[in-house]
Every structure is written in structure tokens, then in C-alpha cells.
Amino acid sequence: MLLLAFDTATPAVTAAVYDTDTRTVRAAADQVDARRHGELLLPTIDAVLREAGTPKESLGGVVVGVGPGPYTGLRVGLATAAAFGHALGIPVHGVCSLDGVARAARDARVVSGPFVAATDARRKEVYWARYDADGVRVEGPAVDRPAEIAEKVAGLPAVGAGALLYPDVFTDVPAGAPEHQSAAALAAFAADALASGTPLLPPTTALYLRRPDAEVPKNYKTVLPA
């Protein structure tokens, strides 16, 4: 089965076509641009489908990162995944975006024991999760200020852009560790889960982890006609 995977929960706009039968990546593309998810995602998807020689009608499923991530960028990926699934009549599977970063780190063999994956949540915070030696998430995802989790992550290798931003807390960032999301790793994670019967996340479950910036004002003055 061919999976189309993509993620817009981090500054990376990443897409890949993955063959679950051969466990190989047919094509992948990654760009880092935190402000152009909406402009870049569909051309990136089109490029990997063309490179893989895969008509969209031959896809067996879609895999999308469901965060954690900022609202605007994350919605681009989720809406696109829903559109593909509806138009093609194929299932859409959600994966925690931090699980993709963690899978990329394990595939690159930069970690071998327990470790942490962290991405930039802005506002001087990180999205993070802790993994055991087998790459299974044992804590998180969560959003916190790095100082608040210093004791929890002390002594653990850390991967991801969030770890690089706060070296005083994430003191062990292995050389060659992935900084951004990889759709290829996200697809590999999903393929393993599907093969083993492990449930994946609903694609409608967006892991925002905090309230949006724009909210309806409370206790605003109501003006009534005279």
C-alpha cells in the first residue's frame, strides 16, 4: 500500500510517499518556512507524487501530523488531509508530530536509550515528549517552559529544534539529531502501527495543547438601541 504523508505542525513543510509493502520511501521533500505552509504544502505534495510516479488515485491512505503545533500552520495540514481522504475515499491517519521527530532520530541512530523530543512552541515554551529505549512515548505531548521540565529531562539526550533553543536545559543534543519534522519518518511510524494493529490518532484530533491567541472578549460592553 502507498501512503502519502505530510506535516505542517512545525516550521517544516514536509511530504513523502511511502510503500508499506517494501518499507521504502519512494519520494520525499522538506522545506523550512514557518510562514508559508499554505503556499508550499500542495506544490510539495504534487512534487513527491510526481517523483514517486504515483497517481493520487493509487494511494491507499493519508498520514498527517496532528501536532502539537501552532494553530494556523497545523490547520493547513489537517484540512488538506481531510480533503484528500474525502476526494479519494481513502482513510486518513493522524500521528503525533513529536512521534515523527522521535522516529527520525531513531532511524538516524543518534539515540539508543531513553530520550526527549522537543519542538519550538514559541512564547519561550517547547512542545515535548519523553520516549523509552524502544522509541515508545511514555510522557507527553505537553507544552511547558523549559525551566519547568528541567528535572524531568535532565541527563536525557534530546532531539528537535526546541532542544537546540535551550541548551541550558537540554544539555545533550546528539550530533546529527533531526531538527525538524520528516514526513518519511512519520509515514514509517504509521506503517509500523498499521501493520501491528496499533491504533493511530483520528485526523480530527488536533493537539493544540493551549488556547488560541484570538478569543471572544469577555465582559465587553453591549450597546443597545435607544
Side-chain angles (χ1 to χ4, degrees):
M1 177 176 63
L2 296 177
L3 295 175
L4 171 64
F6 49 87
D7 190 297
T8 56
T10 74
V13 177
T14 176
V17 176
Y18 187 88
D19 190 329
T20 63
D21 296 327
T22 61
R23 297 300 176 94
T24 57
V25 179
R26 288 199 173 186
D30 309 282
Q31 299 182 69
V32 178
D33 191 328
R35 298 182 181 274
R36 298 179 62 211
H37 293 94
E39 297 175 47
L40 295 175
L41 181 57
L42 285 176
T44 303
I45 290 173
D46 182 64
V48 296
L49 289 172
R50 288 177 180 275
E51 182 181 343
T54 303
K56 58 183 181 294
E57 292 79 11
S58 65
L59 294 170
V62 174
V63 177
V64 63
V66 297
Y71 180 88
T72 304
L74 184 52
R75 289 304 305 177
V76 171
L78 297 180
T80 302
F84 266 87
H86 178 74
L88 300 174
I90 56 178
V92 181
H93 309 285
V95 175
C96 171
S97 297
L98 288 168
D99 290 348
V101 177
R103 175 59 182 259
R106 285 180 56 80
D107 286 350
R109 299 184 179 180
V110 298
V111 291
S112 57
F115 66 101
V116 175
T119 58
D120 183 15
R122 305 172 188 172
R123 306 182 193 174
K124 298 182 180 180
E125 295 179 327
V126 292
Y127 298 118
W128 69 281
R130 185 165 57 89
Y131 296 82
D132 65 16
D134 295 321
V136 177
R137 179 159 37 94
V138 294
E139 186 174 2
V143 58
D144 290 290
R145 289 183 177 271
E148 296 171 347
I149 60 172
E151 291 186 6
K152 291 185 177 182
V153 304
L156 293 175
V159 302
L164 291 170
L165 288 172
Y166 303 98
D168 292 344
V169 173
F170 301 100
T171 57
D172 180 10
V173 178
E179 182 176 350
H180 297 291
Q181 179 63 286
S182 161
L186 201 75
F189 179 94
D192 284 351
L194 292 171
S196 65
T198 303
L200 290 167
L201 297 173
T204 54
T205 304
L207 301 176
Y208 297 122
L209 301 190
R210 63 188 180 199
R211 294 179 179 178
D213 293 329
E215 295 183 348
V216 177
K218 296 179 180 179
N219 302 319
Y220 60 87
K221 184 182 294 186
T222 302
V223 179
L224 299 176

Short mmCIF file of all heavy atoms in Angstrom, two decimals, residues 96-138:
data_model
loop_
_atom_site.label_atom_id
_atom_site.label_comp_id
_atom_site.label_asym_id
_atom_site.label_seq_id
_atom_site.Cartn_x
_atom_site.Cartn_y
_atom_site.Cartn_z
N CYS A 96 0.97 11.84 16.19
CA CYS A 96 1.57 12.92 16.96
C CYS A 96 2.86 13.35 16.27
O CYS A 96 3.73 12.51 15.97
CB CYS A 96 1.85 12.45 18.39
SG CYS A 96 2.82 13.61 19.37
N SER A 97 3.00 14.63 15.99
CA SER A 97 4.16 15.11 15.24
C SER A 97 5.47 14.83 15.96
O SER A 97 6.50 14.57 15.33
CB SER A 97 4.01 16.61 14.96
OG SER A 97 2.88 16.86 14.15
N LEU A 98 5.46 14.87 17.28
CA LEU A 98 6.68 14.56 18.03
C LEU A 98 7.11 13.11 17.83
O LEU A 98 8.30 12.80 17.86
CB LEU A 98 6.47 14.84 19.52
CG LEU A 98 6.39 16.33 19.91
CD1 LEU A 98 5.89 16.47 21.33
CD2 LEU A 98 7.73 17.01 19.74
N ASP A 99 6.14 12.22 17.58
CA ASP A 99 6.48 10.82 17.30
C ASP A 99 7.26 10.70 16.00
O ASP A 99 8.11 9.83 15.85
CB ASP A 99 5.22 9.96 17.24
CG ASP A 99 4.56 9.79 18.60
OD1 ASP A 99 5.19 10.13 19.62
OD2 ASP A 99 3.39 9.32 18.64
N GLY A 100 6.95 11.59 15.05
CA GLY A 100 7.70 11.59 13.79
C GLY A 100 9.13 12.04 14.00
O GLY A 100 10.08 11.46 13.45
N VAL A 101 9.32 13.10 14.81
CA VAL A 101 10.67 13.57 15.11
C VAL A 101 11.45 12.49 15.84
O VAL A 101 12.63 12.23 15.55
CB VAL A 101 10.61 14.86 15.95
CG1 VAL A 101 12.01 15.32 16.35
CG2 VAL A 101 9.89 15.97 15.18
N ALA A 102 10.79 11.83 16.79
CA ALA A 102 11.45 10.76 17.54
C ALA A 102 11.81 9.59 16.64
O ALA A 102 12.91 9.01 16.76
CB ALA A 102 10.53 10.28 18.67
N ARG A 103 10.92 9.24 15.72
CA ARG A 103 11.21 8.13 14.79
C ARG A 103 12.40 8.48 13.90
O ARG A 103 13.27 7.64 13.63
CB ARG A 103 9.98 7.83 13.95
CG ARG A 103 10.19 6.76 12.86
CD ARG A 103 10.65 5.43 13.46
NE ARG A 103 10.90 4.45 12.43
CZ ARG A 103 10.05 3.47 12.12
NH1 ARG A 103 8.90 3.35 12.78
NH2 ARG A 103 10.35 2.61 11.18
N ALA A 104 12.47 9.73 13.44
CA ALA A 104 13.59 10.15 12.61
C ALA A 104 14.91 10.03 13.37
O ALA A 104 15.94 9.63 12.81
CB ALA A 104 13.38 11.58 12.13
N ALA A 105 14.88 10.35 14.66
CA ALA A 105 16.10 10.26 15.47
C ALA A 105 16.54 8.81 15.62
O ALA A 105 17.73 8.49 15.54
CB ALA A 105 15.85 10.88 16.84
N ARG A 106 15.58 7.92 15.82
CA ARG A 106 15.94 6.50 15.95
C ARG A 106 16.40 5.92 14.62
O ARG A 106 17.35 5.12 14.58
CB ARG A 106 14.74 5.71 16.49
CG ARG A 106 14.52 5.94 17.99
CD ARG A 106 13.34 5.14 18.51
NE ARG A 106 13.47 3.71 18.24
CZ ARG A 106 14.22 2.86 18.96
NH1 ARG A 106 14.92 3.31 19.98
NH2 ARG A 106 14.24 1.58 18.65
N ASP A 107 15.76 6.32 13.53
CA ASP A 107 16.18 5.83 12.22
C ASP A 107 17.59 6.31 11.88
O ASP A 107 18.35 5.61 11.20
CB ASP A 107 15.21 6.30 11.13
CG ASP A 107 13.88 5.53 11.17
OD1 ASP A 107 13.80 4.53 11.91
OD2 ASP A 107 12.94 5.95 10.47
N ALA A 108 17.93 7.52 12.36
CA ALA A 108 19.28 8.05 12.13
C ALA A 108 20.30 7.48 13.11
O ALA A 108 21.49 7.76 13.00
CB ALA A 108 19.26 9.58 12.24
N ARG A 109 19.81 6.70 14.08
CA ARG A 109 20.66 6.05 15.09
C ARG A 109 21.48 7.04 15.89
O ARG A 109 22.62 6.77 16.25
CB ARG A 109 21.57 5.01 14.42
CG ARG A 109 20.78 3.89 13.72
CD ARG A 109 21.69 2.83 13.15
NE ARG A 109 20.90 1.78 12.52
CZ ARG A 109 21.43 0.71 11.92
NH1 ARG A 109 22.75 0.56 11.88
NH2 ARG A 109 20.64 -0.21 11.38
N VAL A 110 20.87 8.17 16.19
CA VAL A 110 21.56 9.14 17.04
C VAL A 110 21.16 8.96 18.51
O VAL A 110 21.75 9.60 19.38
CB VAL A 110 21.28 10.59 16.58
CG1 VAL A 110 21.80 10.82 15.17
CG2 VAL A 110 19.79 10.91 16.67
N VAL A 111 20.14 8.14 18.77
CA VAL A 111 19.74 7.81 20.13
C VAL A 111 19.59 6.29 20.23
O VAL A 111 19.22 5.63 19.26
CB VAL A 111 18.41 8.49 20.53
CG1 VAL A 111 18.60 10.00 20.65
CG2 VAL A 111 17.31 8.16 19.54
N SER A 112 19.88 5.77 21.41
CA SER A 112 19.75 4.33 21.61
C SER A 112 19.03 3.99 22.91
O SER A 112 18.54 2.88 23.08
CB SER A 112 21.14 3.66 21.60
OG SER A 112 21.97 4.23 22.59
N GLY A 113 18.97 4.92 23.83
CA GLY A 113 18.27 4.71 25.09
C GLY A 113 17.11 5.67 25.21
O GLY A 113 16.65 6.24 24.21
N PRO A 114 16.60 5.91 26.41
CA PRO A 114 15.53 6.88 26.61
C PRO A 114 15.97 8.27 26.15
O PRO A 114 17.14 8.64 26.26
CB PRO A 114 15.31 6.85 28.12
CG PRO A 114 15.79 5.50 28.55
CD PRO A 114 16.95 5.19 27.66
N PHE A 115 15.03 9.06 25.63
CA PHE A 115 15.37 10.38 25.11
C PHE A 115 14.14 11.27 25.09
O PHE A 115 13.02 10.83 25.40
CB PHE A 115 15.99 10.28 23.71
CG PHE A 115 15.04 9.78 22.64
CD1 PHE A 115 14.44 10.66 21.76
CD2 PHE A 115 14.78 8.42 22.50
CE1 PHE A 115 13.57 10.20 20.77
CE2 PHE A 115 13.92 7.94 21.52
CZ PHE A 115 13.31 8.85 20.65
N VAL A 116 14.35 12.52 24.71
CA VAL A 116 13.28 13.51 24.65
C VAL A 116 13.25 14.13 23.26
O VAL A 116 14.30 14.34 22.64
CB VAL A 116 13.52 14.63 25.70
CG1 VAL A 116 12.48 15.74 25.56
CG2 VAL A 116 13.49 14.05 27.11
N ALA A 117 12.04 14.40 22.76
CA ALA A 117 11.87 15.16 21.52
C ALA A 117 11.20 16.48 21.88
O ALA A 117 10.23 16.50 22.66
CB ALA A 117 11.03 14.39 20.51
N ALA A 118 11.71 17.57 21.34
CA ALA A 118 11.16 18.89 21.66
C ALA A 118 11.15 19.78 20.42
O ALA A 118 12.13 19.83 19.68
CB ALA A 118 11.98 19.56 22.77
N THR A 119 10.04 20.46 20.20
CA THR A 119 9.93 21.43 19.11
C THR A 119 9.60 22.80 19.68
O THR A 119 9.17 22.92 20.83
CB THR A 119 8.86 21.00 18.08
OG1 THR A 119 7.59 20.88 18.76
CG2 THR A 119 9.21 19.68 17.43
N ASP A 120 9.80 23.83 18.88
CA ASP A 120 9.61 25.20 19.33
C ASP A 120 8.12 25.53 19.40
O ASP A 120 7.40 25.44 18.41
CB ASP A 120 10.32 26.15 18.36
CG ASP A 120 10.22 27.60 18.79
OD1 ASP A 120 9.86 27.86 19.95
OD2 ASP A 120 10.50 28.48 17.95
N ALA A 121 7.66 25.90 20.59
CA ALA A 121 6.26 26.29 20.77
C ALA A 121 6.09 27.81 20.81
O ALA A 121 4.99 28.29 21.07
CB ALA A 121 5.70 25.67 22.05
N ARG A 122 7.20 28.53 20.61
CA ARG A 122 7.19 30.00 20.71
C ARG A 122 6.84 30.39 22.15
O ARG A 122 6.70 29.54 23.01
CB ARG A 122 6.26 30.62 19.68
CG ARG A 122 6.57 30.18 18.24
CD ARG A 122 5.52 30.67 17.28
NE ARG A 122 5.71 30.10 15.95
CZ ARG A 122 4.85 30.24 14.95
NH1 ARG A 122 3.73 30.93 15.13
NH2 ARG A 122 5.09 29.70 13.77
N ARG A 123 6.72 31.69 22.40
CA ARG A 123 6.41 32.20 23.74
C ARG A 123 7.38 31.66 24.80
O ARG A 123 7.01 31.48 25.96
CB ARG A 123 4.98 31.86 24.16
CG ARG A 123 3.91 32.29 23.18
CD ARG A 123 2.54 31.95 23.73
NE ARG A 123 1.52 32.06 22.72
CZ ARG A 123 0.24 31.71 22.91
NH1 ARG A 123 -0.14 31.23 24.08
NH2 ARG A 123 -0.64 31.84 21.94
N LYS A 124 8.60 31.36 24.39
CA LYS A 124 9.62 30.80 25.29
C LYS A 124 9.19 29.47 25.89
O LYS A 124 9.54 29.13 27.02
CB LYS A 124 9.96 31.80 26.40
CG LYS A 124 10.55 33.10 25.87
CD LYS A 124 10.91 34.05 27.00
CE LYS A 124 11.50 35.34 26.44
NZ LYS A 124 11.86 36.30 27.52
N GLU A 125 8.44 28.68 25.09
CA GLU A 125 7.98 27.36 25.51
C GLU A 125 8.39 26.32 24.47
O GLU A 125 8.75 26.65 23.34
CB GLU A 125 6.46 27.34 25.70
CG GLU A 125 5.97 28.22 26.83
CD GLU A 125 4.45 28.20 26.97
OE1 GLU A 125 3.76 28.06 25.94
OE2 GLU A 125 3.96 28.33 28.10
N VAL A 126 8.28 25.05 24.86
CA VAL A 126 8.53 23.95 23.92
C VAL A 126 7.38 22.95 24.00
O VAL A 126 6.76 22.77 25.05
CB VAL A 126 9.86 23.21 24.22
CG1 VAL A 126 11.05 24.10 23.93
CG2 VAL A 126 9.90 22.69 25.66
N TYR A 127 7.11 22.33 22.87
CA TYR A 127 6.29 21.12 22.85
C TYR A 127 7.26 19.97 23.04
O TYR A 127 8.30 19.90 22.38
CB TYR A 127 5.58 20.96 21.50
CG TYR A 127 4.62 22.06 21.16
CD1 TYR A 127 4.83 22.86 20.04
CD2 TYR A 127 3.47 22.29 21.92
CE1 TYR A 127 3.94 23.86 19.69
CE2 TYR A 127 2.58 23.29 21.58
CZ TYR A 127 2.82 24.07 20.47
OH TYR A 127 1.93 25.07 20.13
N TRP A 128 6.94 19.05 23.93
CA TRP A 128 7.91 17.99 24.21
C TRP A 128 7.22 16.68 24.59
O TRP A 128 6.05 16.65 24.96
CB TRP A 128 8.85 18.42 25.34
CG TRP A 128 8.16 18.51 26.69
CD1 TRP A 128 7.37 19.52 27.14
CD2 TRP A 128 8.18 17.52 27.72
NE1 TRP A 128 6.89 19.23 28.40
CE2 TRP A 128 7.38 18.02 28.79
CE3 TRP A 128 8.80 16.28 27.86
CZ2 TRP A 128 7.18 17.31 29.96
CZ3 TRP A 128 8.60 15.57 29.05
CH2 TRP A 128 7.81 16.08 30.07
N ALA A 129 7.97 15.60 24.45
CA ALA A 129 7.52 14.28 24.88
C ALA A 129 8.76 13.46 25.22
O ALA A 129 9.84 13.70 24.69
CB ALA A 129 6.71 13.59 23.79
N ARG A 130 8.58 12.50 26.12
CA ARG A 130 9.68 11.63 26.54
C ARG A 130 9.43 10.22 26.01
O ARG A 130 8.28 9.73 26.02
CB ARG A 130 9.79 11.62 28.07
CG ARG A 130 10.97 10.83 28.62
CD ARG A 130 11.19 11.18 30.10
NE ARG A 130 10.02 10.93 30.90
CZ ARG A 130 9.74 9.76 31.49
NH1 ARG A 130 10.58 8.73 31.37
NH2 ARG A 130 8.66 9.62 32.22
N TYR A 131 10.50 9.55 25.57
CA TYR A 131 10.41 8.23 24.94
C TYR A 131 11.33 7.25 25.67
O TYR A 131 12.38 7.63 26.19
CB TYR A 131 10.82 8.32 23.46
CG TYR A 131 9.88 9.19 22.66
CD1 TYR A 131 10.02 10.58 22.66
CD2 TYR A 131 8.83 8.64 21.94
CE1 TYR A 131 9.15 11.39 21.96
CE2 TYR A 131 7.96 9.45 21.24
CZ TYR A 131 8.11 10.82 21.25
OH TYR A 131 7.22 11.62 20.57
N ASP A 132 10.92 5.97 25.64
CA ASP A 132 11.77 4.95 26.24
C ASP A 132 12.79 4.46 25.22
O ASP A 132 12.88 4.97 24.09
CB ASP A 132 10.94 3.80 26.82
CG ASP A 132 10.18 2.99 25.77
OD1 ASP A 132 10.51 3.10 24.56
OD2 ASP A 132 9.28 2.23 26.14
N ALA A 133 13.57 3.45 25.60
CA ALA A 133 14.66 2.97 24.75
C ALA A 133 14.14 2.35 23.45
O ALA A 133 14.90 2.24 22.47
CB ALA A 133 15.50 1.95 25.51
N ASP A 134 12.87 1.96 23.41
CA ASP A 134 12.28 1.39 22.20
C ASP A 134 11.58 2.44 21.35
O ASP A 134 10.94 2.10 20.34
CB ASP A 134 11.28 0.29 22.58
CG ASP A 134 11.95 -0.89 23.25
OD1 ASP A 134 13.06 -1.27 22.83
OD2 ASP A 134 11.37 -1.43 24.23
N GLY A 135 11.67 3.70 21.74
CA GLY A 135 11.04 4.75 20.96
C GLY A 135 9.55 4.90 21.23
O GLY A 135 8.85 5.56 20.47
N VAL A 136 9.07 4.32 22.32
CA VAL A 136 7.65 4.42 22.69
C VAL A 136 7.46 5.64 23.59
O VAL A 136 8.20 5.83 24.56
CB VAL A 136 7.18 3.15 23.43
CG1 VAL A 136 5.72 3.30 23.88
CG2 VAL A 136 7.33 1.93 22.54
N ARG A 137 6.50 6.46 23.25
CA ARG A 137 6.24 7.66 24.04
C ARG A 137 5.69 7.28 25.42
O ARG A 137 4.69 6.59 25.52
CB ARG A 137 5.27 8.57 23.29
CG ARG A 137 4.90 9.85 24.04
CD ARG A 137 4.38 10.93 23.09
NE ARG A 137 3.59 10.42 22.00
CZ ARG A 137 2.26 10.32 22.01
NH1 ARG A 137 1.58 10.66 23.09
NH2 ARG A 137 1.61 9.86 20.96
N VAL A 138 6.34 7.77 26.47
CA VAL A 138 5.94 7.44 27.83
C VAL A 138 5.46 8.65 28.60
O VAL A 138 4.91 8.51 29.70
CB VAL A 138 7.09 6.75 28.60
CG1 VAL A 138 7.41 5.40 27.98
CG2 VAL A 138 8.34 7.63 28.63
#
